[in-house]
């Protein structure tokens, strides 16, 4: 049980950080926000890698499940960041304002 | 089977913490379009650190793993490059389902090989009870995210009708399933593979049942909610694996999705519960349309519209889902350019729930090269309709309905709306007079003296207007 407390502290504080950071996101960027949160939630690949690289002592099935999860999470990571970058690249200011700066 | 928590080196924990902080910065960057691309790069670096750290600790260079990343990454990259911007809602829903499925697979793998994850009791015999409960939660949320997102994807992609599918007694079924899942997770400490399987099956079922009764127009809430779930799934797995990066990310994504759901519900003046209960928002709601059909309205042509706008000083364009359906955003931007050449001031007004996901209209306008400082949110522009000459409504309906302000019996009463009726002239592009908006409510704006109905496909109408302007 003791290891749970520091983790819970991190979790609760991160929820608060998330709350304030997300409210400061401009509504115009809510779609890229969803795309990028989707990409970073694929950090679950860490667990997939652990399962896939457990070479000895583990079960074969567990390893293949891990590999499957690595593939899925990779689709998300590359796809999510790439599509976010593509969207963000489209948001442009008025040209004459850019010149005035 | 001797790996224990205490053996995790300090630098590894620090590396995961750094990854978590970089993810926070990625979201922070989105507070303005100028800083957003930098933010996205922070996110990529964070992911790189998390993956590299894991590979170093758990054995690098396994060709199978590199192959798996290459296959998945290649597929993801190609999809991201090719996908049409109008298809973004279904893409995001599809990606959520992958996160959910990955969480389920990881949980099963951890269950089968707990030694590798360092979650065995000190005696090395059994999985620690706390870990089992966390794992149960993770697999349950992951499975709900997976099956729910698949349904959302099919609905958004048009493989499945947008209309709500109502099962008799669905609230009872859902509540009992939810109770069953909670009990199963709670007693999962008893540990049998059968319990684990039951959690997965019940969760898949509830995800499916939760989303099928929800109609097309409520999709912005659903997509946000599934976004949130994918975060909580990652957080629960982070607890199981005792991984800081996963816990931080899960909390960020979870709260992000929850806030977006809240913003969407507020913009429709509906409670989250009523959206989730479903049944509202079929694509083809017709109630109330029949009685009103006889009312007279003015119909205009593209030529009339071009003439009115050319002679206006200011035009506010109000896009909605119809613009996305007919892919009219490029033609619309051209219209804006032509009008600006005539000296007309052009602005865009975006309602938070216009489209099928939060920010949907903004992305489409950005794709069509509309500068983002011409695009305004509801609160920022609503006061300007009274002074503007023309409100050009294209593919939006309920978000402009003044009944939301006056008619207490209306299903959309209390929803914040754009005050288009205050403009000197309203040009309303609509496919036909027949179908009302998703709420099935007639819109009095159609029948006002200063409204001109432009009945045609949005894109064709705008192209015709452009011809007359050019």
């Amino acid at each position: 049980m003791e290891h749970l407390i520091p983790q819970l502290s991190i979790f609760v504080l991160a929820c608060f950080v998330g709350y304030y950071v997300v409210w400061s996101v401009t509504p115009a960027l809510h779609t890229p926000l969803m795309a990028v949160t989707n990409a970073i939630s694929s950090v679950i690949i860490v667990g997939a890698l652990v399962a896939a690289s457990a070479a000895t002592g583990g079960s074969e099935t567990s390893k293949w499940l891990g590999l499957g999860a690595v593939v899925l999470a990779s689709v998300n990571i590359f796809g999510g960041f790439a599509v976010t970058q593509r969207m963000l690249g489209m948001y442009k200011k008025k040209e004459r304002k850019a010149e005035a700066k | 089977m001797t790996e224990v928590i205490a053996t995790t080196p300090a630098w590894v924990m620090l590396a995961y913490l750094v990854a978590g902080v970089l993810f926070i910065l990625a979201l922070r960057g989105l507070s303005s379009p100028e800083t957003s691309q930098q933010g996205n790069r922070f996110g990529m670096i964070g992911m790189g650190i998390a993956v590299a750290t894991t590979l170093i600790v758990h054995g690098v260079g396994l060709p199978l793993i590199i192959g798996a990343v290459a296959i998945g990454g290649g597929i993801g990259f190609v999809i991201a490059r090719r996908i049409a911007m109008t298809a973004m809602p279904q893409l995001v829903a599809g990606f959520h389902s992958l996160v959910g499925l990955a969480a389920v697979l990881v949980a099963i793998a951890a269950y089968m090989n707990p030694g590798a994850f360092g979650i065995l009791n000190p005696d090395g015999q059994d999985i620690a009870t706390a870990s089992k409960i966390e794992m149960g939660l993770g697999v349950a949320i992951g499975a709900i995210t997976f099956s729910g997102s698949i349904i959302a994807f099919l609905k958004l992609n048009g493989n499945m009708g947008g209309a709500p599918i109502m099962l008799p007694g669905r609230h009872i079924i859902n509540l009992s399933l939810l109770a069953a899942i909670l009990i199963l997770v709670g007693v999962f400490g008893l540990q049998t593979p059968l319990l684990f399987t039951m959690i997965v099956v019940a969760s898949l079922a509830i995800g499916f049942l939760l989303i099928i009764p929800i109609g097309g127009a409520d999709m912005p809430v659903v997509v946000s909610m599934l976004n949130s779930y994918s975060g909580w799934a990652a957080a629960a797995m982070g607890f199981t694996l005792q991984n800081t990066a996963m816990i931080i990310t899960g909390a960020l994504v979870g709260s992000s999705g929850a806030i977006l759901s809240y913003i969407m519900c507020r913009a429709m003046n509906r409670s989250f519960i009523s959206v989730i209960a479903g049944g509202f928002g079929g694509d083809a709601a017709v109630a109330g349309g029949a009685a009103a059909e006889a009312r007279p309205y003015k119909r205009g042509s593209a030529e009339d519209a071009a003439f009115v706008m050319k002679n206006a000083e200011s035009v506010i364009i109000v896009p909605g889902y119809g613009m996305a359906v007919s892919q009219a955003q490029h033609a619309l931007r051209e219209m804006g350019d032509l009008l600006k050449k005539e000296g007309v001031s052009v602005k865009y007004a975006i309602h938070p729930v216009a489209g099928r996901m939060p920010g949907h209209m903004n992305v489409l306008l950005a794709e069509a090269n509309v500068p983002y400082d011409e695009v305004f949110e509801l609160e920022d522009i609503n006061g300007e309709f009274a002074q503007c000459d023309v409100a050009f409504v294209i593919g939006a309906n309920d978000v402009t309905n003044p009944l939301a302000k006056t008619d207490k019996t209306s299903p959309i009463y209390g929803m914040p709306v754009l005050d288009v009726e205050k403009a000197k002239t309203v040009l309303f592009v609509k496919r036909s007079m027949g179908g009302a908006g998703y709420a099935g409510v007639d819109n009095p704006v159609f029948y006002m003296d200063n409204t001109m109905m432009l009945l045609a496909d949005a894109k064709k109408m705008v192209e015709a207007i452009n011809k007359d302007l050019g």
Side-chain angles (χ1 to χ4, degrees):
Chain A
M1 225 35 199
E2 298 84 49
H3 75 274
L4 204 60
I5 303 304
Q7 289 178 18
L8 202 60
S9 319
I10 294 172
F11 177 72
V12 172
L13 292 177
C15 282
F16 276 93
V17 172
Y19 180 85
Y20 288 106
V21 168
V22 171
W23 273 115
S24 75
V25 171
T26 168
L29 293 178
H30 275 164
T31 297
L33 171 68
M34 300 198 84
V36 82
T37 49
N38 182 52
I40 64 174
S41 60
S42 309
V43 71
I44 200 147
I45 195 174
V46 167
L49 289 170
V50 174
S53 61
T56 50
S59 77
E60 248 340 77
T61 326
S62 159
K63 191 171 162 179
W64 285 105
L65 287 173
L67 276 174
V70 171
V71 174
L72 296 176
S74 304
V75 173
N76 252 312
I77 292 174
F78 285 82
F81 281 122
V83 87
T84 309
Q85 198 68 16
R86 196 178 137 206
M87 278 192 275
L88 294 176
M90 297 187 308
Y91 284 81
K92 291 188 188 79
K93 268 197 157 181
K94 257 182 246 173
E95 274 154 34
R96 56 193 148 82
K97 273 203 177 170
E99 282 162 22
K101 263 190 182 174
Chain B
M1 294 274 184
T2 46
E3 256 179 289
V4 202
I5 313 135
T7 59
T8 312
W11 74 267
V12 173
M13 292 164 108
L14 279 176
Y16 285 134
L17 180 63
V18 170
V21 171
L22 285 166
F23 291 150
I24 296 175
L25 291 177
L27 300 196
R28 183 80 191 95
L30 290 172
S31 57
S32 137
E34 282 139 50
T35 53
S36 60
Q37 297 201 34
Q38 178 64 36
N40 199 36
R41 279 189 283 274
F42 282 138
M44 294 183 206
I45 297 169
M47 190 60 78
I49 292 176
V51 171
T53 308
T54 316
L55 286 177
I56 292 168
V57 180
H58 292 271
V60 210
L62 292 171
L64 272 178
I65 290 181
I66 293 169
V69 172
I71 293 171
I75 295 172
F77 199 70
V78 170
I79 295 175
R81 294 304 294 266
R82 295 221 178 130
I83 190 89
M85 282 298 142
T86 39
M88 203 50 67
Q90 50 267 50
L91 177 78
V92 168
F95 277 174
H96 287 157
S97 75
L98 298 183
V99 179
L101 186 56
V104 173
L105 294 183
V106 171
I108 300 177
Y111 180 70
M112 296 174 79
N113 188 10
F117 288 85
I119 50 174
L120 287 172
N121 273 330
D123 62 10
Q125 288 307 308
D126 192 11
I127 306 175
T129 310
S131 295
K132 267 193 255 174
I133 292 176
E134 294 155 2
M135 197 191 280
L137 275 178
V139 78
I141 306 172
I144 294 173
T145 312
F146 172 61
S147 59
S149 299
I150 293 276
I151 302 298
F153 172 84
L154 293 176
K155 285 196 168 196
L156 288 164
N157 204 31
N159 305 102
M160 206 171 141
I165 298 167
M166 317 286 271
L167 288 178
R170 63 186 198 287
H171 296 313
I172 297 165
I173 301 177
N174 286 346
L175 286 176
S176 9
L177 268 175
L178 184 67
I181 292 169
L182 289 177
I183 294 168
L184 285 170
V185 171
V187 300
F188 185 40
L190 298 172
Q191 146 113 3
T192 65
L194 179 67
L195 274 179
F196 191 84
T197 316
M198 279 164 71
I199 294 177
V200 177
V201 172
S203 306
L204 287 173
I206 203 172
F208 176 80
L209 291 171
L210 266 181
I211 309 301
I212 52 166
I214 301 182
D218 277 344
M219 277 301 156
V221 182
V222 170
V223 176
S224 315
M225 184 184 82
L226 292 167
N227 186 233
S228 179
Y229 288 179
S230 70
W232 303 132
M237 291 315 294
F239 276 103
T240 313
L241 309 183
Q242 298 166 22
N243 184 298
T244 320
M246 277 166 84
I247 295 177
I248 294 179
T249 315
L252 287 178
V253 177
S255 39
S256 166
I259 290 172
L260 289 177
S261 314
Y262 168 75
I263 294 175
M264 294 300 112
C265 286
R266 191 182 56 178
M268 295 193 288
N269 191 37
R270 308 209 15 231
S271 74
F272 187 68
I273 300 292
S274 88
V275 173
I276 295 312
F280 198 76
D283 274 341
V286 281
E293 259 165 39
R295 288 172 70 180
Y297 62 92
K298 262 197 292 191
R299 182 168 179 176
S301 67
E303 220 174 307
D304 303 329
F307 179 79
V308 172
M309 285 196 282
K310 216 187 253 183
N311 291 299
E313 264 177 37
S314 54
V315 173
I316 299 179
I317 298 172
V318 181
Y321 183 57
M323 179 193 81
V325 173
S326 80
Q327 307 259 15
Q329 66 271 30
H330 299 279
L332 197 61
R333 197 258 311 151
E334 233 175 274
M335 188 183 93
D337 287 350
L338 290 168
L339 287 173
K340 277 188 261 176
K341 256 187 220 157
E342 302 278 341
V344 183
S345 123
V346 178
K347 287 177 179 174
Y348 296 81
I350 311 280
H351 192 279
V353 290
R356 285 292 186 263
M357 72 185 289
H360 193 185
M361 293 297 120
N362 302 78
V363 172
L364 294 181
L365 292 176
E367 185 200 13
N369 276 324
V370 172
Y372 64 79
D373 39 8
E374 288 178 9
V375 182
F376 296 88
E377 303 304 319
L378 174 94
E379 312 87 72
D380 299 327
I381 200 163
N382 227 2
E384 292 187 32
F385 281 104
Q387 287 97 47
C388 95
D389 295 313
V390 178
F392 187 85
V393 184
I394 173 166
N397 184 359
D398 290 325
V399 298
T400 66
N401 195 332
L403 286 183
K405 291 177 277 191
T406 51
D407 181 2
K408 285 194 177 156
T409 62
S410 169
I412 57 170
Y413 179 73
M415 167 171 156
V417 287
L418 290 157
D419 300 330
V420 292
E421 78 279 3
K422 292 188 181 155
K424 287 200 189 82
T425 308
V426 183
L427 297 175
F428 213 112
V429 184
K430 199 171 180 303
R431 192 179 286 273
S432 69
M433 285 307 281
Y438 73 83
V441 193
D442 206 24
N443 190 341
V445 172
F446 301 160
Y447 314 106
M448 296 190 323
D449 286 340
N450 58 345
T451 300
M452 196 191 278
M453 298 302 295
L454 305 169
L455 300 179
D457 173 74
K459 188 178 176 188
K460 287 192 185 121
M461 177 51 75
V462 177
E463 279 168 351
I465 293 174
N466 288 349
K467 237 180 239 165
D468 286 310
L469 283 172

